Amino acid sequence: MSTTPTLLEVEEVGAAAGGPPTSTQRILTRLVHDKAAVLCLAFLLIVVLMAAFAPLITKLSGWGPYEFDSSAINSALGGVPNGSLGGISGEHWFGVEPQNGRDLFARIVYGARVSITIAISATVLTGILGVVLGMLAGFYRGWVDQLISRVMDFLMAFPALIFMIAILSSLPAGNRPVLLVVVISAFGWPYLARVIRGQTMTLANREFVEAARASGAKNLALVFREILPNLRSSIIVMSTLAVPGYIGTEAGLSFLGVGVTPPTASWGQMISSSVSWYSVDPMFFAIPGAFLFLTVLSLTVLGDKIRSVIDAGEAA
Amino acid sequence: MSETLFVVEDLTVTLPTSRGPVDVVKNASFTVDRDDTVGIVGESGSGKSMTSLAVLGLLPGGGRTTGSIRLNGQELLGRSEAELRSIRGNAISMVFQDPLSSLNPYYTVGLQIEEGYRAHRGGTRREARKVAIEALERVQIPDPARRIDHYPHQFSGGQRQRIMIAMALCCSPELLIADEPTTALDVTVQAQILALLAELQAETGTGLIFITHDLAVISSIAQRVLVMCKGDPVEYGTAEQIFSDPQHEYTRALLDAVPRIDDLIPAAEEVAG
Amino acid sequence: MTRYVIGRLGGVVVILLAVCLFTYLIFFKLSPDPAVMICGKTCTPDRIDSIRTVLGLNQPLLTQFWEFLQGIVAGRDYGTAHCSAPCLGYSFQTNESVWTMITARLPVSITVAVGAAILWLLAGVAGGLISAVRQGTWWDRSAMALALTGVSVPNYVLALVLQYLLVVKLQVLPFPSAPAFSDNPGLWFESYLMPWTVLAIGYACLYARLTRANVIDTLAENFVRTARAKGLQRSLILRRHALRPALTPITTIFGMDFAGLLGGALITETVFGLNGIGKLAADSIAKNDQPVIMAVTLLAAFFVVIGNVVVDLVYTALDPRVRITSA
């Protein structure tokens, strides 16, 4: 009886397991020489710095994300920002939000914080769960594999979006970001685990594992010392491609109103609010939209470049 | 006295690399007579495979070839792609190293033989099918009429290589190039394939270029041998000359590297004593 | 072969049961009292009690779940009213039969999914193929740059931008209203055009990248080298030797993507106001309409799991190496 082939839900990781892992050094050198990669890295650096130093930056720019500046909006006209381009001025570098006059720059900066922290935490959590469970399933096989694989099938069958919305909307506000990270990771780890499982199974049959076993290494040590380094490429590639996905997921959930609770700033939530204003204040839509788009684009381009460096290295 | 079939003169192949153009074959020359076998020997990276790819114009993108390659006196270098296509699989055929990856897993072996035949000889599917069954029979695949509809993964390694050979010979080429055809197979199967090649050659009078890193194999089948090292043709002569009186130190080193049974005897004596 | 299919279908049932149970538990724990919800504003404790009895809410959790399952298979009775199989209960908000609500809205989601699928397969696969064959040319580079951009735009942003441009500003298209095809084909087409395009763009870009990568990889395979060495025409090599191996993995991915869409493109339907399963899901979650949420979740999971089985079967038909043979 032949086995059913593994299904691909995300773009398949081209790097085959086995062969010396491409060094981080090599990846970095190659990237530095690529103009597009440098541009992406520069933009991402800006976003990360925004996220990391948000309080400091808003102190410099003058307005916090929760302060209302009623002088910047024209209440007589329903809350439209004063001045052109949504109220861009020396006071408010990106203008203000209609109706409540909150400084858009500050909210973008704090929104960056939300997007980056949630996306990176989710990637880390997904990474840990996916790698550990995938390796256990691939190495031990038998009932461990059966159990973990059934759980994976189950999670992947779930309509994740529906479920995330349902859970998030029925739970009370509590620590929203943590909840988002947990929910996103709960549905995200099976995709990584599946790939890791497959590669672990291939590697576990290789001679070097036999050799290590013969020299007396205990199973767990075996798993981590011998197999993990060879999975590094896959882990790197899938993680760098997961980050933009999770940024999109968080923004999408916030857009639907189940992400971080207001007044916390999130790019997705800002886009959602901007819908009713786009005829009079398109900048309120354009600025968070542009940041979201450019961040996801930079991460995806970078992820692509990293993947091609790794593929080229392994093909040699 | 065999007539000269195929002549390669001063062949130089240059490939573009990230470090600039590199000559992977430098001024190689050899001749193949009808009914003859010429062995090209060398380690990996010696340029032996590149030589054969250059002959058929199958170099990876951007490769340049200079020198002369003549089949029956006709120059092949510089021919158009269309002309080369009519020669490939027709006047000159090639068999590659790994028969599993060299056959398309999605199609039956019958189709893969037939398409080569129909590309050069035309004909209906039924005619091509008959030719394919005959080809399988000639390479001693049992029950060819049934197995023609099987897929590559349903055959053993040795059988797959036979199928590759059948595919290569279906249009009765004048020259067959075999690039490490036995390397991926175990020793007993190797011997069978070599015997098959010898038989077919005797039947059809096809010239054979046999590329390998295995000297033992060469010694059993080749009349003439070209030794290559890092792109340089270091020695060229009859098999007798090469094996009994090697001129170049690289050739000598290659020969010395072959394990010989009389090397083992001193140790055996120790054990017995 | 039949043994394999039966085994897989058995697996489908198990997973669906698990999804069902899990969803039931979560909502049991998280939702406010349904009886209170149904009762509405003017409520008396007696009324709440009678509702609870009719719905069987006083029973232990597992009994309730069992009755729910029975209802799906054989229909059940709520007090004196009979709900025929498959019984998914009644909406807390509108008291409509959930099954009716779903069957009414399913055609919209299917229309969205099929239309988008046709668009993205044509654009994506063809685009990727051309890019692969012309690797390195300006066509390839610009197409891939475009694809990268398309993959990075969140689809609701695209939806909003398109809707603003085409409906509000340029007034080329009307606000989508999804009439039946037989009533007004022109309006039907215009209504679905934007949702199809928005959905298709994201997937088309993804598929273009995938197809290109697969075709390039396939063209580097040894068996393509063999085909060239046989002197075959370039177009034949591409058509026969490159396409099958390159596209087979893509059919797998397509099957899963399409199955996912059948369960409702939540965001797209919401933004465009189309009354499909996705919008039903979003609305019912907002209003905490438990039976509808259950049903929508089950439906979506059903499509995904069945899609999984179908895809695997199709794959065995396409790739000779994984055929289930008794030989």
Side-chain angles (χ1 to χ4, degrees), chain B residues 263-273:
Chain B
D263 290 342
L264 296 173
I265 292 179
E269 278 177 352
E270 275 176 29
V271 171

Side-chain angles (χ1 to χ4, degrees), chain B residues 89-104:
Chain B
N90 199 3
I92 305 180
S93 280
M94 198 154 159
V95 174
F96 294 96
Q97 176 174 341
D98 180 10
L100 181 58
S101 61
S102 297
L103 287 170
N104 193 324

